[in-house]
Amino acid sequence: MIPAEFRYERVSTVDEALARLASLGDEAKVLAGGHSLLPLMKLRLAAPEYLIDIGPVDELRYVRLEGDEVVIGALSRYSDLVRDPVLRQHAPLLAHVSGEVGDRQVRHRGTIGGSLVHADSAADLPAAVLASDAVLVARGPAGERRIPAAEFFLGPFTTPLEPDELLTEIRLSAQTGQDWAFQKFTRRAIDWAMVGVAVAGGRVGLVNMGGVPLRASATEAALAAGASAADAAELAAEGTSPPDEPHATAEYRRHLARVLTRRALTR
């Protein structure tokens, strides 16, 4: 439970962070809230030579409405998102899901950007971002690029971000008045979900149903074709590959996906 030796650097601006990443390359890892990276370092699953702490970069903490888009800074903490009036009105799914993450200590330190870059299929926020059809904005030496959430999660803990790029914000169309719901099933209150379901309009994101965060495409297609919530939910596990573990087998997770999707769509 002791990480390998590393050098710690603290930056206060995005430009400073990008300069250090450009010079250090894949020898460095970015530290935001630390709730995803530090456990991996303690288990020696990650051993960066340099740790670049972007915690003081306040320019990446904001939520604002730009026209018909909600824009969220990548360093916005869960506790901020839960209370933010713009998010609660125009992207209520993300506000609600942020309040379901971990416990109070985690929510006061963890950031939305850190969760998304970690790309863990068992995390809540990636499914909510997928269901929201969001676009993730990355900045690097070549400038800024926008990556649809559907193209951001490439594999277990893998994203298209380059070693010298930084996730700076999340953008999504305002969901004002749109139907939404979130359901998850856990062994204990603060555990990772065995399965979770995030719904925004006709889009359905799944938690812990494969190696990457994914959408229930068969359910979405059925809804678009006019199927009932119950019939569409029966297709929620199609095309998924949930983990098979003693406390929650793959078949049990498929069952949970169908049940939770039906509850979310009905709600």
Side-chain angles (χ1 to χ4, degrees), residues 47-66:
E49 293 186 36
Y50 292 84
L51 205 58
I52 310 301
D53 186 356
I54 62 171
V57 184
D58 288 334
E59 64 186 281
L60 293 183
R61 285 193 178 91
Y62 54 84
V63 179
R64 56 179 178 253
L65 192 64
E66 294 184 0

Side-chain angles (χ1 to χ4, degrees), residues 154-258:
L154 302 182
F157 310 108
T158 305
T159 75
L161 288 181
E162 299 293 339
D164 57 0
E165 285 186 312
L166 193 66
L167 178 65
T168 55
E169 67 182 16
I170 299 92
R171 307 180 73 95
L172 59 143
S173 297
Q175 302 167 2
T176 318
Q178 187 180 82
D179 290 338
W180 64 274
F182 181 67
Q183 295 280 324
K184 71 175 178 178
F185 188 84
T186 60
R187 297 177 68 193
R188 297 172 300 178
I190 63 172
D191 282 351
W192 298 101
M194 289 184 185
V195 175
V197 178
V199 174
R203 297 178 299 272
V204 182
L206 298 175
V207 178
N208 221 355
M209 285 297 290
V212 296
L214 46 82
R215 281 167 60 170
S217 55
T219 293
E220 292 179 352
L223 290 171
S228 67
D231 289 342
E234 286 300 308
L235 304 173
E238 295 293 319
T240 64
S241 53
D244 197 352
E245 299 168 331
H247 65 275
T249 65
E251 185 52 43
Y252 180 53
R253 292 180 197 270
R254 293 188 185 98
H255 167 73
L256 281 177
R258 292 189 288 268

